[in-house]
């Protein structure tokens, strides 16, 4: 039973990170019909920027402060990378949906290649406070503190995103644009600005996801291809949740995180298949599509 | 400026078919001009082309400004309100949010809107997707009215409405027409006769007739261009 | 001479020249992708053969992507099926060559019809994502080394006493393997040519241009899409068989990862989507460039370059990605589009399928 609870907890933490990655992807798709392959790159860049900033600051500042700065840096790094991508590469291709997808694929290949050239395929280590590596005893269970951080980040971002989408003018514009872009511009609104904005928001969340994944599930290590492997699961979460739906992403992220965690533990040890968790997630996707081709939450925000 | 809209030699091709084949028309300032024609002749496409929602070639002048190649939002901000054919209210947004998105000026004319559609005030918290077709049409027209803009493009407002509602709609549109120049696409010829002063008839992607709304009384014209046997 | 006869003559001429390459002992400095500057050196022949393999696969992929307009990210799965089923039946089970071939294509056919039918239940972006997910599942499976069959990350070398001696991966056989790769390319080209010029081919293009119009005409696009998907899958499987014969070992990261799919996509777009020789040209240039850049980066003088040049230049993935981005932005019709202007228009149509207006960007459904 304790094992089950601990698994559930780490599955939820994994789901929280998937949510950070997938919600931006889903917004970008919902508003712009773009399958953004560079989203994995934004995650990777977030982690690298965080690493770069943290490793250039004096260690005397102490790990907690350095790590907080790294978190902020990952968010800014991801947002900046995404904003530039939208303005420089996506914008010239408005009206050419397939080309937009292709350009994000090319960007991902090129920049990951550059990172591989610059840093090699070896992993770099992010400095984290000792507290983050430890576990806390809650109700007789030793739960990793890093999992709490992921969980808190996921919940905070979910709430912030919901407030933004429902309470602010830009948020309302984005929700309207997901339904009908043409009509938004026919009301005299420059939809292009909303496009840039969702990229920036999505990139910020992706950057954070990249850093948190490294800290929570990858032993504080980052590598150039990490984001790309996370991206596959983010895609799956988006399709299961329903393209363009934030709540769908949240639910699907939890489901995928839990299924992956449970199957890895319970089936992995019996079948001897290390990848059974990943496989089960794809199977889940196929089942959901058979049952509900539009995903769990259709296509509204 | 004597014409709110001037269009010449407008061509549009959609998915390989040449939908508009050189439309030229003028809409004078003031009153209601009706754009008529059988189903599928290109009325909606004309309005969408005027707003830059589909790519077109030819010259378009909106409220005295040449808008060739402009993005939709810039054309709209010249002072054009658009009520699309299928209302296109944002179903997931509340009535208030739908209207809020349409606000383009410092002091939106909520008074005008509520004077014509008092019901919208009560329903401001309702999600537009849960409203009836007639109520959605009110939201759609209200969005176009909110900024007190001088030109309105209204596409088949009576489509799918019960006859009694069409009467109410006609009253509302008559009041709208006192506020702005209107280019009205409409199949209901009784409604057209009541509201419009001028008519423009399209057929096969071209303007085939321009004239006075009185001419609709001539059963021959109605039969020739609109495929109906006169108006009662 | 009618244009089609002329084109056939040019194609045959090119094949004849390619077939004679192993006999050309010409010394060519600089431009060859292998360290030995001789045209028929083993290294150069291997690179050329590899480029033929991918040219065939790219051609098959162009049927589903370029002609039918469906962005599938699954081709690597069928390529890997070709590699692994062929390898496993020969190496582990010691099947006769013919049975191994039949089994390989049979498995691929069943997979393609089954998974294609599931994936084609959704359209547009969802289709793309589903094909990607399936291919990724296949990758995990292969990497997991179930029952020791695939060798996992260590790889599985092709070794079988049933394999005729002239086909074994020995260096002396490179010439034979080169011809096999060329043969695969010629057969793929012929099949793709037959299909795309047929009635079915026209329906596929019509699906790309305006699927709903077909439905109005009473044609059910689903079957045609499934047929195109299956055809391109079978061609990819053929490529996988040729690959494992040529390279001799199967490693998941090289034959089953999503990077392979992306490379194929890059080849097709570089060459010009929706054109047969564009796909072939794109693939040959891609493989050639990739191997050539690797060779340059390995030269001693390269290490003396300043880091800001050395780092990017040492990464073919970076340079090819960059070239790809530039092509998408500035040369949407690919190389074929530059050469024949007529094609540029139809390729541009592919990418701008529904609208030329900034804000209306439906991919499949409005
Ligand atoms: N996206 C599109 N792709 C292809 N053809 C289109 C598209 N949109 C419209 N058409 C065609 O263009 C023609 C004109 O359409 P439009 O909607 O402008 O007609 P309409 O006059 O408004 O008709 P109705 O009275 O039925 O509303 C029609 O034949 C229609 O089929
Ligand atoms: Mg219409």
């Amino acid at each position: 039973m304790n094992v089950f609870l601990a698994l559930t907890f780490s599955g939820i933490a994994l789901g929280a990170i998937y949510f950070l990655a997938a919600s931006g992807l889903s917004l970008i798709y919902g508003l712009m019909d773009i399958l953004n392959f560079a989203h994995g790159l934004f995650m990777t860049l977030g982690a690298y920027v965080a690493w770069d900033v943290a490793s250039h600051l004096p260690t005397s500042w102490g790990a907690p402060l350095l790590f907080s700065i790294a978190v902020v840096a990952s968010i800014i790094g991801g947002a900046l990378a995404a904003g530039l991508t939208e303005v420089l590469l996506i914008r010239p291709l408005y009206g050419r949906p397939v080309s937009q997808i292709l350009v994000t694929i090319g960007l991902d290949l090129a920049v990951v290649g550059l990172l591989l050239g610059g840093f090699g395929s070896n992993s770099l280590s992010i400095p984290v406070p000792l507290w983050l590596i430890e576990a806390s005893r809650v109700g007789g269970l030793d739960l990793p503190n890093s999992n709490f951080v992921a969980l808190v980040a996921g919940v905070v971002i979910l709430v912030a995103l919901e407030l933004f989408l429902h309470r602010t003018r830009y948020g309302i514009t984005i929700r309207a644009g997901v339904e009908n872009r043409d009509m938004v511009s026919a009301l005299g609104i420059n939809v292009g600005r909303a496009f840039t904005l969702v990229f920036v928001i999505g990139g910020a969340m992706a950057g954070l996801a990249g850093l948190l994944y490294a800290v929570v599930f990858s032993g504080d290590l980052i590598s150039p291809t990490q984001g790309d492997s996370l991206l596959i699961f983010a895609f799956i979460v988006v399709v299961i949740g329903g393209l363009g739906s934030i709540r769908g992403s949240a639910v699907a992220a939890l489901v995928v995180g839990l299924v992956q965690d449970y199957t890895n533990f319970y089936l992995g040890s019996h079948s001897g298949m290390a990848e059974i968790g990943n496989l089960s997630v794809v199977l889940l996707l196929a089942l959901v599509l058979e049952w509900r081709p539009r995903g769990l939450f259709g296509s509204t925000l | 400026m004597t014409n709110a809209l001037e269009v010449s030699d407008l061509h549009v091709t959609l998915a390989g078919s040449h939908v508009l084949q050189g439309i030229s028309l003028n809409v004078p300032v003031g009153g209601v001009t009706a754009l008529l024609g059988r189903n599928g002749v290109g009325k909606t496409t004309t309005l969408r082309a005027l707003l830059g929602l589909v790519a077109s070639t030819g010259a378009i002048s909106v409220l005295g400004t040449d808008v060739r190649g402009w993005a939709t939002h810039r054309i709209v901000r010249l002072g054009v309100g658009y009520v699309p054919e299928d209302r296109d209210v944002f179903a997931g947004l509340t009535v208030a949010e739908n209207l809020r998105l349409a606000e383009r000026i410092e002091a939106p004319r909520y008074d005008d809107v509520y004077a014509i559609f008092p019901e919208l005030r009560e329903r401001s918290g309702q999600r537009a997707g849960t409203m009836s077709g007639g109520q959605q049409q009110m939201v759609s027209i209200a969005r176009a009215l909110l900024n007190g803009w001088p030109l309105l493009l209204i596409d088949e407002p009576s489509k799918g409405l019960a006859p009694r509602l069409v009467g109410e709609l006609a009253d509302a549109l008559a009041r709208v027409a006192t506020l702005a120049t209107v280019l009205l696409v409409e199949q209901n010829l009784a409604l057209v006769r009541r509201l419009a002063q001028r008519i423009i008839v399209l057929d096969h992607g071209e303007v085939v007739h321009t004239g006075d709304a009185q001419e609709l009384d001539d059963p021959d014209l109605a039969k020739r261009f609109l495929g109906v046997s006169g108006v009662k | 001479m009618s244009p089609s006869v002329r084109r056939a003559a040019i194609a045959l001429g090119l094949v004849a020249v390619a077939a004679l390459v192993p006999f050309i002992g010409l010394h060519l400095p600089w431009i060859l992708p292998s360290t030995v500057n001789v045209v028929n050196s083993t290294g150069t022949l291997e690179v050329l053969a590899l480029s033929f393999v991918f040219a065939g696969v790219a051609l098959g992929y162009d049927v589903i992507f370029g002609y039918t307009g469906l962005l599938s990210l699954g081709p690597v799965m069928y390529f890997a099926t070709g590699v692994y089923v062929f390898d496993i039946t020969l190496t582990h089970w010691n099947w006769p060559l013919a049975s191994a071939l039949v089994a390989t294509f049979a498995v691929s056919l069943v997979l393609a019809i089954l998974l294609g039918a599931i994936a084609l239940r959704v359209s547009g972006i969802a289709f793309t994502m589903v094909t990607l997910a399936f291919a990724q599942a296949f990758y995990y499976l292969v990497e997991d080394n179930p029952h020791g069959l695939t060798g996992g990350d260590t790889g599985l070398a092709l070794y079988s006493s049933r394999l005729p001696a002239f086909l074994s991966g020995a260096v002396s056989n490179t010439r034979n393997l080169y011809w096999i790769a060329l043969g695969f390319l010629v057969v793929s080209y012929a099949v793709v040519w037959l299909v795309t010029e047929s009635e079915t081919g026209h329906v596929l293009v019509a699906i790309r241009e305006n699927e709903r119009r077909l439905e109005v005409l009473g044609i059910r696009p689903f079957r045609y899409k499934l047929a195109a998907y299956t055809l391109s899958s079978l061609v990819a499987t053929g490529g996988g068989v040729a690959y494992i014969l040529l390279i001799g070992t199967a490693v998941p990261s090289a034959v089953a990862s999503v990077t392979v799919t992306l490379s194929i996509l890059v080849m097709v777009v570089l060459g010009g989507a929706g054109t047969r020789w564009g796909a072939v040209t794109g693939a040959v240039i891609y493989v050639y460039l990739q191997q050539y850049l690797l060779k340059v980066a390995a030269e001693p003088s390269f290490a003396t370059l300043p880091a800001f040049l050395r780092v990017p230049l040492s990464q073919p993935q970076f340079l090819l990605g960059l070239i790809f981005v530039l092509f998408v932005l500035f040369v949407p019709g690919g190389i074929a589009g530059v050469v024949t202007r007529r094609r540029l228009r139809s390729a541009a149509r592919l990418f701008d399928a529904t609208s030329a207006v900034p804000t209306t960007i439906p991919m499949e459904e409005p």
Side-chain angles (χ1 to χ4, degrees), chain A residues 54 58-72 127-132:
Chain A
T59 43
S60 60
W61 287 14
L65 178 60
L66 286 182
F67 183 69
S68 313
I69 295 176
V71 167
V72 176
V128 296
L130 202 57
W131 173 83
L132 210 55

Side-chain angles (χ1 to χ4, degrees), chain C residues 26-115:
Chain C
L26 198 63
H27 184 90
L28 274 182
W30 301 112
I31 65 159
L32 294 179
S34 109
T35 42
V36 181
N37 291 323
V38 179
V39 171
N40 64 355
S41 67
T42 311
T44 300
L45 285 185
E46 254 181 21
V47 172
L48 287 178
L50 193 63
S51 76
F52 295 159
V53 170
F54 279 106
V57 175
L59 260 172
Y61 181 63
D62 205 18
V63 174
I64 187 88
F65 173 64
Y67 284 87
T68 318
L70 294 173
L71 181 51
S72 160
L73 291 180
V76 69
M77 179 166 45
Y78 302 98
F79 182 76
T81 301
V83 169
Y84 278 104
V85 178
F86 191 67
D87 197 348
I88 289 168
T89 47
L90 283 172
T91 305
H92 286 312
W93 301 340
N94 209 25
W95 286 16
L97 183 61
S99 320
L101 271 178
V102 170
T104 304
F105 282 99
V107 169
S108 172
L109 184 70
V110 172
L111 261 187
I113 291 178
L114 203 70
L115 298 184

Side-chain angles (χ1 to χ4, degrees), chain C residues 292-353:
Chain C
Y292 186 78
L293 290 168
L294 284 174
K295 167 194 150 179
V296 171
E299 276 168 15
S301 57
F302 190 81
T304 63
L305 287 176
F308 75 94
L309 282 178
R310 185 169 33 86
V311 168
L313 289 179
S314 68
Q315 290 295 324
Q317 185 181 336
F318 165 72
L319 287 170
L320 288 163
L322 184 67
I323 293 174
F324 182 61
V325 167
L326 294 176
F327 262 67
V328 172
L329 284 175
F330 304 113
V331 199
I335 294 167
V338 175
V339 176
T340 49
R341 284 227 149 273
R342 187 177 57 84
R343 267 295 165 198
L344 184 65
R345 255 188 286 125
S346 83
R349 230 186 295 138
L350 160 65
F351 293 123
D352 305 343

Side-chain angles (χ1 to χ4, degrees), chain A residues 20-22 24-25 28 35-48 74 77-78 81-82 85 104-105 107-109 111-112 115 199 202-203 205-211 213 222-235, chain C residues 132 262:
Chain A
L20 292 182
L25 211 52
I28 289 171
L35 182 59
N36 179 27
F37 269 86
H39 219 70
L41 176 65
F42 301 159
M43 296 185 227
T44 305
L45 283 178
Y48 271 86
S74 72
T85 302
T104 63
I105 290 177
L107 178 72
D108 184 61
L109 286 174
V111 180
V112 169
L115 288 174
F199 254 81
M205 293 190 290
L208 179 61
L211 175 63
Y213 184 81
I222 59 173
S223 70
T225 51
Q226 201 165 60
D228 285 343
S229 35
L230 256 179
L231 181 67
I232 307 275
F233 296 104
F235 278 159
Chain C
L132 176 65
L262 299 185

